[in-house]
Amino acid sequence: GQSLEQPSEVTAVEGAIVQINCTYQTSGFYGLSWYQQHDGGAPTFLSYNGLDGLEETGRFSSFLSRSDSYGYLLLQELQMKDSASYFCAVRRYSSASKIIFGSGTRLSIRP
Amino acid sequence: SQTIHQWPATLVQPVGSPLSLECTVEGTSNPNLYWYRQAAGRGLQLLFYSVGIGQISSEVPQNLSASRPQDRQFILSSKKLLLSDSGFYLCAWSELDLRGASGTSTDTQYFGPGTRLTVL
């Protein structure tokens, strides 16, 4: 099968740290990508993990463990502008032209 | 640099009317192109993708069709819109750059600004 599972909603406090998980039931993919989408806007690329381990880009980090079929996006020093939906995505070897997106996680930041 | 354009930004159409949404990409050649639809508060549903001129793959059987008349132009069409066609339509192109075990690979989709379609 092919599916990426994410929590539908996460709430966190401004200044805190939040982790958004992505578990998958697909095998043989190039890597795990993350996208951010603000209300009314288009998704924008955040990060990509081609290899297992942690990738850091400023306040955002992303992690992938192929052996555990699991990845996550970590957001630190949360700001109100981080309130958005976050999607994980993979591109499978067997269908390299397609990208499969997770169902998305709605992150709400409280003051 | 690469840019992707979509138009119109918003559209209100009656049921049964035709549809034509256009997407163009600048600054890259032979891109993989995609059409997605997103219902309010939901995820991205892949509708069509294209790896080259005239090459269209359909993901969801429905009353929509896509065409790629030029390398950097992707068009989404319908002859008769349904109420269920309402949504946010996103065009995207993708860049897959694999550099093996060095860890410097990247896989990125670049989305256009989208078209918000309301069918009444």
Side-chain angles (χ1 to χ4, degrees), chain A residues 30-31 33 35 37 40-45 48 50-51 55 87 90-91 95-99 101-103, chain B residues 32 34 36 38 42-44 46 49 51 59 88 90 94 96 98 101 103 105-109 111-112 116:
Chain A
Y30 289 100
S33 301
Y35 292 81
Q37 185 181 27
T44 56
F45 173 79
Y48 174 74
L51 302 174
E55 292 284 342
F87 297 88
V90 299
R91 185 195 300 261
S95 183
S97 299
K98 287 172 49 176
I99 297 176
F101 282 86
S103 52
Chain B
N32 284 359
Y34 304 80
Y36 293 90
Q38 188 176 36
R42 304 296 295 274
L44 297 164
L46 178 62
Y49 67 94
V51 300
E59 287 298 298
F88 190 39
L90 290 155
S94 70
L96 174 62
L98 302 176
S105 59
T106 185
D107 186 4
T108 307
Q109 282 226 303
F111 288 85
R116 196 162 302 280

Side-chain angles (χ1 to χ4, degrees), chain A residues 75-109:
Chain A
L75 297 85
Q76 303 181 71
E77 301 173 19
L78 286 170
Q79 302 175 10
M80 297 303 293
K81 67 178 182 180
D82 297 330
S83 293
S85 292
Y86 293 84
F87 297 88
C88 57
V90 299
R91 185 195 300 261
R92 293 189 305 153
Y93 296 140
S94 62
S95 183
S97 299
K98 287 172 49 176
I99 297 176
I100 302 168
F101 282 86
S103 52
T105 298
R106 173 74 185 179
L107 174 62
S108 299
I109 310 297

